[in-house]
C-alpha cells in the first residue's frame, strides 16, 4: 500500500510543483493537510488566457473567460449582476455556478488579484481592461489580441519579464504600437499585427526568425537583412512576413540576399501581382535546415507583403482513398453506381482512369511506385506479352478501380479541375504536371497527336499527383465501367466526386499478325 | 502530445570520456545491507559527494559509506539509477533544475514506472535525503504524471490517503480559490 503519509512535506511539495491545475484541485480535496500543502506550493500555469466576448443581444452584456490550463471560469453579466460559472475542459459544472451582485470587472479583478502571483503565462486575449497596477505578470509567451484602448501597452508594461520567447500583438484599430528594446529582443517568435513605426535600424535588432511586422518605415535593404537572418536562423515552421510600403516599380529581386541562388517561379495569369522565387542555395542555416525557401511578394500599388518560409512541395490532400473509403460516410456509392457499357466508339474522346488512387503514392508518384500496383502490373504485363509473343491469345479480365476524369464530367459537375479534386488551387501553381493534365482536359487533340497511337490499343501513364491511365482506344476490346453520373449533385455538396468503385473488364483478343496489319 | 525527444533546450550527454579505473566503495543501508558502488555514481548525490570529499581531503581510506536513512532495497534502486547516470554531463541536471522542461529519458521512464507507488515514494524520499537532483525530478514528475487527470477519490486510492471519515479533520476546501 503506497504511503503518501510517510512522504516528507518537502518531497510532497516537489511533486505538487509538477501537477497541473486540475490535479492540484483534486489533491487539495484529499485531506486537510494536503489542502494546506497545495496552497503553500507555488503554481505556474502552462497557459493562462483572459478573453472577453460581447453579447449580440445586449451591448452592455459581456462574457469574460479565464482559462487556466484546462480549468475555465466565466464571468457573465452586465452592470451589477454577474454569473460565475466554472468547469473543466470547457464544460460548465452547474453545481459550482453562482450569481453575484457585483460588476463582473470587480469580480474578475478580485479573482485575478488572488492569482496574480501564481501566473506562469498570461495570454490576454481581448480583455479590454488594464491590469491592476500592483499585478506583476511573468511570462515567456504573451499574446494580446484585439485589445482596445491601447491597453496592450499597459499589459506589456505590467510584465516583469525582461525578455519574451514569443510575443504576439494583434489589433485592427488603435494607435500605433511603440517599439522598444524588449519587444525587439523577443527570441523565437515576434508577430506584431499592428501598425508600428519600426525603422530599418530597429529591424536590425530583431532576433526572432519567426517574425511578422507591419510598418511603413522599413526599406528594401532592411527586408533583405531580415531575410538573411531568417535564412541563417530560421527553423522548419518559422515564417518571416513583412508588410511595407515599397516604392512603385521596386525590383523585388533586390530583396534576395547577396550570394543566394534563386530561380523565379512561374506565376499563373490570375495572380499577376505576385512575385515568387525559390531560394535554393548560397546560405548556411545554423540549425542545418538547408531546405529551399520560398520568397513571395504580393503587392498592390500601396503595399507589399513580403513573406519567406521553407518551400514545401505542393501536395494533393484531396483525393479520397478508394480502398479505405468509409461506407458510413459515403453510403450512396454502391447504390447510385450503375453499369455503363463503353465500346471503342464511345472512347473517341479522352478518358482518364486513375488506378486505385492511393494517397501515399499520390504525393510523388514515380514509375517505380506506380508499377507496384497490381492492376497496373497486370495490364502492362498483358500488353507486353501481346506485343512480344506471337500467336498468343490472352483473354484478360482485370478488375480495376478507376476514376473517370473527362472534360464532360467536369463541366457537367459545374466545377473546375481543381475544384473537382477539392484541392487548393494555389497548391498546384507550381505543378507542371497538373498544368499538363489540365491542358489535356481542355484540348483532347494533344492526346491524339500521334496517328500510331490511335491505331494501336495503348495505355499511357500520365504521371501526376495520382497515377492516371489514359486509355485512348481499345481495338476489339470491351470495357465496362461503373459510372457515377448520379453523383454529380453530390459533387456540389462536397461529397467525394470521384470516389467510385468501378469494375472494368478488359477483354483483349488480338494477335501480333493483326497488329502488324494495322501498322 | 508526445514529449519532444531531445529538444533543443535539453543539453546533449557529453561524449564518453576515456574511462578511468573504477573506484569501488561499500555502501551500507540503514538495515545493514552492504552494497558496492562506483564512486563516480555516488558523486551524483551531493550528500555522499561531500562525505567522499571529506575523506579525500583528510587522506583517509574510504572503505564504507553509511546511509542511515535509506533501507537496503531502496538504496539498491538508488545505486542502480546512479550507476546508469554516472557518465552524464552535470549540465543536464543543472539545466533541469528549472522544472518547466523536464523530459524523462526512456530508460528512466521504464525504470520508474515499473515501480509500485510505495517504492517510488521511498525512492524519491531517499533521493531527497541524498540530494540527487536528477532522480528527484524524474521521480516527482513520474508521480505527478500518474496523478494527472485523476479525481480526488482516485488520487486517494493511488496514494493511499485515508478517506475523509478516517481522517482527524475533513477538508473544507472550496472551488473559489
Amino acid at each position: 500500500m503506497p504511503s503518501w503519509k510517510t512522504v516528507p512535506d518537502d518531497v510532497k511539495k516537489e511533486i505538487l510543483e509538477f501537477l497541473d491545475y486540475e490535479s492540484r484541485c483534486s489533491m487539495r480535496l484529499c485531506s486537510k493537510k494536503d489542502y494546506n500543502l497545495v496552497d503553500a506550493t507555488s503554481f505556474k500555469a502552462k497557459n493562462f488566457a483572459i478573453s472577453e466576448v460581447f453579447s449580440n443581444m445586449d451591448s452592455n452584456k459581456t462574457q469574460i473567460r479565464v482559462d487556466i490550463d484546462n480549468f475555465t471560469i466565466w464571468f457573465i453579466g452586465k452592470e451589477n449582476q454577474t454569473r460565475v460559472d466554472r468547469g473543466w475542459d470547457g464544460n460548465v459544472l452547474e453545481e459550482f455556478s453562482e450569481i453575484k451582485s457585483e460588476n463582473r470587472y470587480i469580480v474578475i479583478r478580485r479573482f485575478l488579484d488572488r492569482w496574480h502571483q501564481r501566473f506562469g503565462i498570461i495570454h490576454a486575449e481581448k480583455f479590454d481592461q488594464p491590469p491592476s497596477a500592483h499585478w506583476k505578470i511573468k511570462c515567456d509567451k504573451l499574446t494580446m489580441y484585439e485589445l482596445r484602448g491601447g491597453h496592450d501597452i499597459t499589459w506589456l508594461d505590467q510584465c516583469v519579464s525582461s525578455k519574451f520567447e514569443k510575443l504576439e500583438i494583434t489589433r485592427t484599430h488603435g494607435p500605433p504600437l511603440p517599439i522598444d528594446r524588449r519587444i525587439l529582443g523577443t527570441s523565437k517568435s515576434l508577430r506584431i499585427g499592428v501598425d508600428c513605426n519600426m525603422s530599418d535600424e530597429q529591424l536590425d535588432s530583431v532576433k526572432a526568425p519567426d517574425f511578422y511586422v507591419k510598418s511603413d518605415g522599413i526599406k528594401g535593404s532592411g527586408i533583405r537583412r531580415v531575410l538573411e537572418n531568417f535564412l541563417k536562423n530560421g527553423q522548419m515552421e518559422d515564417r518571416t512576413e513583412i508588410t511595407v510600403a515599397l516604392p512603385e516599380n521596386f525590383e523585388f529581386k533586390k530583396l534576395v540576399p547577396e550570394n543566394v541562388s534563386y530561380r523565379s517561379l512561374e506565376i499563373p495569369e490570375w495572380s499577376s501581382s505576385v512575385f515568387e522565387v525559390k531560394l535554393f542555395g548560397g546560405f548556411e542555416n545554423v540549425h542545418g535546415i538547408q531546405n529551399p525557401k520560398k520568397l513571395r511578394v504580393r503587392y498592390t500599388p500601396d503595399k507589399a507583403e513580403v513573406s519567406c518560409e521553407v518551400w514545401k512541395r505542393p501536395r494533393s490532400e484531396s483525393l479520397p482513398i478508394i480502398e479505405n473509403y468509409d461506407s458510413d460516410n459515403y453510403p450512396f456509392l454502391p447504390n447510385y453506381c450503375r453499369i455503363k457499357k463503353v465500346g471503342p466508339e464511345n472512347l473517341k474522346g479522352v478518358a482518364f482512369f486513375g488506378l486505385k488512387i492511393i494517397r501515399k503514392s499520390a504525393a510523388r508518384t514515380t514509375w517505380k511506385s506506380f508499377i507496384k500496383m497490381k492492376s497496373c502490373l497486370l495490364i502492362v504485363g498483358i500488353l507486353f506479352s501481346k506485343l512480344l509473343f506471337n500467336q498468343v491469345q490472352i483473354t484478360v479480365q482485370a478488375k480495376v478501380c478507376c476514376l473517370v476524369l473527362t472534360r464532360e464530367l467536369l463541366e457537367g459537375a459545374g466545377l473546375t479541375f481543381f475544384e473537382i479534386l477539392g484541392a487548393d488551387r494555389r497548391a498546384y501553381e507550381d505543378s507542371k504536371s497538373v498544368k499538363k493534365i489540365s491542358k489535356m482536359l481542355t484540348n483532347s487533340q494533344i492526346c491524339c497527336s500521334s496517328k500510331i497511337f490511335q491505331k494501336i490499343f495503348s495505355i499511357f501513364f500520365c504521371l501526376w499527383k495520382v497515377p492516371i491511365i489514359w486509355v485512348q482506344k481499345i481495338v476489339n476490346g470491351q470495357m465496362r465501367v461503373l459510372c457515377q453520373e448520379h453523383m454529380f449533385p453530390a459533387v456540389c455538396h462536397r461529397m467525394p466526386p470521384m470516389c467510385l468503385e468501378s469494375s472494368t473488364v478488359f477483354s483483349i483478343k488480338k494477335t501480333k499478325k493483326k497488329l502488324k496489319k494495322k501498322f | 502530445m508526445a514529449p519532444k525527444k531531445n529538444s533543443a533546450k535539453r543539453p546533449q550527454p557529453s561524449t564518453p570520456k576515456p574511462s578511468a579505473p573504477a573506484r569501488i566503495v561499500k555502501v551500507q543501508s540503514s538495515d545493514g545491507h552492504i552494497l558496492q558502488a562506483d564512486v563516480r555514481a555516488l558523486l551524483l548525490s551531493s550528500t555522499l559527494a561531500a562525505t567522499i570529499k571529506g575523506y579525500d581531503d583528510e587522506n583517509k581510506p574510504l572503505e564504507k559509506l553509511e546511509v542511515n536513512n535509506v533501507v537496503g532495497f531502496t538504496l539498491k534502486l538508488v545505486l542502480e539509477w546512479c550507476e546508469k547516470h554516472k557518465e552524464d554531463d552535470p549540465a543536464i541536471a543543472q539545466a533541469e533544475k528549472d522544472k518547466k522542461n523536464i523530459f524523462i529519458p526512456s530508460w528512466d521512464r521504464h525504470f520508474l514506472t515499473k515501480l509500485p507507488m510505495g517504492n517510488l515514494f521511498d525512492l524519491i524520499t531517499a533521493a531527497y535525503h541524498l540530494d540527487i537532483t536528477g532522480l528527484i525530478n524524474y521521480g516527482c514528475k513520474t508521480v505527478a504524471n500518474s496523478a494527472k487527470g485523476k479525481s480526488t477519490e482516485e488520487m486517494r486510492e493511488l496514494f493511499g490517503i485515508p478517506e475523509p471519515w478516517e481522517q482527524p479533520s475533513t477538508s473544507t476546501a472550496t472551488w473559489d480559490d
Side-chain angles (χ1 to χ4, degrees):
Chain A
M1 185 72 178
S3 47
W4 177 251
K5 265 200 302 185
T6 59
V7 178
D9 283 356
D10 290 334
V11 178
K12 282 181 183 172
K13 279 185 182 176
E14 294 270 350
I15 295 169
L16 292 173
E17 280 179 27
F18 283 104
L19 291 180
D20 61 359
Y21 189 63
E22 186 182 6
S23 311
R24 277 172 67 95
C25 287
S26 299
M27 176 55 81
R28 202 164 172 257
L29 297 174
C30 280
S31 69
K32 183 75 182 170
K33 197 180 174 188
D34 292 320
Y35 177 90
N36 293 328
L37 209 59
V38 170
D39 281 357
T41 313
S42 65
F43 170 65
K44 287 180 182 174
K46 279 185 183 166
N47 186 33
F48 194 104
I50 309 166
S51 55
E52 185 172 20
V53 181
F54 291 85
S55 170
N56 292 331
M57 309 295 285
D58 190 338
S59 58
N60 294 325
K61 189 178 172 185
T62 67
Q63 176 182 302
I64 304 166
R65 176 183 171 139
V66 180
D67 292 284
I68 308 164
D69 289 348
N70 57 343
F71 172 74
T72 309
I73 181 164
W74 293 266
F75 303 88
I76 309 159
K78 60 177 183 178
E79 291 155 11
N80 289 332
Q81 285 290 319
T82 305
R83 179 190 161 96
V84 183
D85 289 329
R86 299 172 177 87
W88 298 111
D89 300 319
N91 302 318
V92 177
L93 297 168
E94 296 288 346
E95 60 268 34
F96 294 104
S97 296
E98 56 183 321
I99 292 171
K100 296 191 174 184
S101 302
E102 278 179 293
N103 188 283
R104 61 197 174 284
Y105 293 115
I106 296 168
V107 181
I108 188 178
R109 204 162 284 278
R110 196 166 56 236
F111 174 81
L112 293 175
D113 276 347
R114 279 205 293 266
W115 276 94
H116 82 275
Q117 285 179 335
R118 300 177 183 182
F119 293 169
I121 294 168
I122 295 278
H123 177 115
E125 189 179 318
K126 209 173 182 179
F127 179 57
D128 299 334
Q129 292 285 316
S132 293
H134 63 279
W135 290 358
K136 286 178 183 170
I137 301 153
K138 193 177 178 186
C139 58
D140 301 326
K141 298 166 192 171
L142 179 65
T143 305
M144 288 181 286
Y145 177 71
E146 285 297 337
L147 263 72
R148 291 179 291 193
H151 292 319
D152 42 13
I153 301 161
T154 325
W155 278 92
L156 204 58
D157 290 343
Q158 294 282 112
C159 285
V160 293
S161 315
S162 57
K163 201 175 176 184
F164 294 106
E165 204 174 279
K166 287 185 180 179
L167 178 64
E168 185 172 352
I169 305 168
T170 306
R171 68 175 143 83
T172 43
H173 304 290
L177 185 80
I179 300 293
D180 60 18
R181 195 179 293 173
R182 191 166 53 155
I183 293 176
L184 295 171
T186 304
S187 60
K188 284 188 177 171
S189 173
L190 174 63
R191 307 193 77 79
I192 306 172
V194 191
D195 275 326
C196 62
N197 299 317
M198 191 182 280
S199 63
D200 271 5
E201 290 73 34
Q202 287 174 322
L203 203 62
D204 289 343
S205 313
V206 171
K207 296 284 177 290
D210 187 37
F211 177 58
Y212 171 59
V213 73
K214 281 161 84 175
S215 172
D216 290 346
I218 297 171
K219 306 280 185 303
S221 54
I223 298 171
R224 195 166 55 236
R225 287 197 292 276
V226 170
L227 292 175
E228 278 169 11
N229 178 42
F230 175 76
L231 293 174
K232 191 181 170 190
N233 298 310
Q235 299 209 28
M236 280 302 278
E237 300 305 319
D238 290 342
R239 178 184 163 94
T240 283
E241 209 176 332
I242 305 168
T243 304
V244 287
L246 289 174
E248 222 173 301
N249 303 324
F250 182 84
E251 272 189 59
F252 295 115
K253 283 181 183 174
K254 286 182 182 174
L255 296 176
V256 179
E258 276 179 34
N259 302 325
V260 171
S261 319
Y262 68 95
R263 81 174 165 81
S264 299
L265 296 172
E266 203 175 323
I267 305 297
E269 286 171 12
W270 64 81
S271 53
S272 56
S273 59
V274 171
F275 166 81
E276 260 186 18
V277 289
K278 184 177 172 183
L279 314 175
F280 56 85
F283 55 86
E284 282 288 327
N285 187 284
V286 293
H287 304 292
I289 297 162
Q290 293 298 120
N291 302 41
K293 310 284 189 300
K294 185 169 88 172
L295 172 64
R296 181 184 169 100
V297 185
R298 210 176 123 250
Y299 54 92
T300 61
D302 304 329
K303 298 271 180 189
E305 287 172 19
V306 184
S307 65
C308 190
E309 62 189 325
V310 171
W311 190 80
K312 286 171 189 159
R313 189 176 286 274
R315 282 174 176 271
S316 169
E317 295 291 339
S318 58
L319 291 167
I321 304 165
I322 292 178
E323 286 178 338
N324 302 333
Y325 85 88
D326 184 0
S327 58
D328 291 339
N329 289 339
Y330 314 129
F332 54 86
L333 265 178
N335 302 329
Y336 283 79
C337 289
R338 69 181 176 87
I339 293 171
K340 185 182 179 184
K341 285 188 180 178
V342 184
E345 288 76 25
N346 302 75
L347 285 170
K348 280 178 185 170
V350 182
F352 289 91
F353 295 84
L355 243 177
K356 285 193 178 179
I357 295 154
I358 296 164
R359 190 178 293 189
K360 279 183 186 172
S361 64
R364 202 183 281 186
T365 309
T366 59
W367 281 102
K368 220 174 179 181
S369 65
F370 191 39
I371 294 291
K372 277 179 188 171
M373 292 178 172
K374 287 178 188 174
S375 313
C376 170
L377 198 62
L378 187 62
I379 295 165
V380 172
I382 292 153
L383 289 173
F384 276 90
S385 64
K386 285 292 287 176
L387 289 168
L388 295 173
F389 305 106
N390 197 9
Q391 306 298 331
V392 181
Q393 288 194 0
I394 307 170
T395 304
V396 185
Q397 287 202 334
K399 248 193 171 179
V400 186
C401 282
C402 62
L403 173 105
V404 184
L405 280 178
T406 64
R407 191 182 171 185
E408 289 75 25
L409 295 187
L410 298 175
E411 287 174 353
L415 295 170
T416 66
F417 180 69
F418 296 97
E419 284 168 332
I420 280 283
L421 299 172
D424 182 1
R425 193 179 190 119
R426 284 171 300 175
Y428 295 93
E429 281 174 8
D430 298 327
S431 175
K432 283 183 184 173
S433 48
V434 169
K435 283 175 192 165
K436 191 175 161 188
I437 298 294
S438 184
K439 219 171 184 179
M440 282 181 181
L441 284 167
T442 49
N443 185 6
S444 60
Q445 288 305 312
I446 294 168
C447 306
C448 313
S449 57
S450 170
K451 284 185 180 178
I452 299 166
F453 288 160
Q454 288 176 10
K455 287 180 179 176
I456 62 166
F457 58 91
S458 54
I459 296 178
F460 292 93
F461 303 97
C462 299
L463 284 183
W464 183 61
K465 298 291 165 193
V466 291
I468 291 172
I469 301 177
W470 166 35
V471 179
Q472 205 271 316
K473 202 172 183 181
I474 297 175
V475 182
N476 284 349
Q478 299 172 27
M479 193 166 70
R480 220 166 61 223
V481 180
L482 279 173
C483 194
Q484 40 58 278
E485 286 172 0
H486 289 282
M487 288 166 62
F488 287 152
V491 172
C492 303
H493 293 97
R494 289 283 160 208
M495 300 305 266
M498 293 303 166
C499 178
L500 67 151
E501 197 174 344
S502 31
S503 168
T504 307
V505 178
F506 292 97
S507 289
I508 304 163
K509 287 183 180 178
K510 204 162 179 66
T511 61
K512 200 176 179 181
K513 282 179 184 174
K514 285 180 186 173
L515 280 170
K516 279 180 181 171
K517 280 178 190 174
K518 286 277 178 189
F519 283 106
Chain B
M1 206 174 86
K4 199 177 176 183
K5 279 190 179 180
N6 295 329
S7 65
K9 274 195 173 178
R10 186 178 160 77
Q12 297 298 310
S14 60
T15 48
K17 291 164 192 167
S19 56
R23 188 178 154 204
I24 306 294
V25 290
K26 289 175 183 172
V27 188
Q28 188 175 5
S29 67
S30 62
D31 52 353
H33 282 85
I34 294 175
L35 303 160
Q36 289 194 326
D38 186 352
V39 169
R40 283 183 300 166
L42 297 178
L43 289 177
L44 288 174
S45 156
S46 306
T47 315
L48 294 179
T51 314
I52 293 165
K53 194 170 178 290
Y55 273 95
D56 288 348
D57 289 348
E58 292 172 19
N59 284 327
K60 281 186 188 173
L62 177 60
E63 287 176 359
K64 195 168 70 179
L65 276 172
E66 287 184 13
V67 182
N68 294 326
N69 40 15
V70 183
V71 295
F73 178 77
T74 311
L75 187 62
K76 195 182 165 194
L77 291 172
V78 171
L79 294 180
E80 190 183 342
W81 187 90
C82 290
E83 187 65 29
K84 179 72 188 171
H85 289 272
K86 66 183 179 185
E87 302 282 354
D88 280 5
D89 194 331
I92 296 177
Q94 201 61 37
E96 287 177 345
K97 282 217 166 184
D98 171 24
K99 290 189 171 60
K100 267 196 290 184
N101 299 309
I102 287 183
F103 165 72
I104 306 176
S106 59
W107 185 88
D108 298 80
R109 194 165 58 241
H110 181 72
F111 176 73
L112 295 167
T113 48
K114 74 177 182 186
L115 292 174
M117 196 53 79
N119 291 347
L120 190 55
F121 285 154
D122 292 341
L123 182 63
I124 298 166
T125 309
Y128 184 75
H129 289 317
L130 296 171
D131 196 7
I132 307 170
T133 313
L135 185 53
I136 295 171
N137 284 342
Y138 294 161
C140 290
K141 183 145 193 196
T142 306
V143 174
N145 285 346
S146 63
K148 223 167 249 181
K150 298 256 188 313
S151 67
T152 304
E153 286 71 29
E154 288 167 333
M155 231 176 237
R156 280 202 192 106
E157 195 182 331
L158 180 73
F159 291 158
I161 301 169
E163 292 293 329
W165 54 86
E166 295 166 351
Q167 296 173 18
S169 62
T170 50
S171 170
T172 54
T174 63
W175 286 71
D176 193 10
D177 194 3

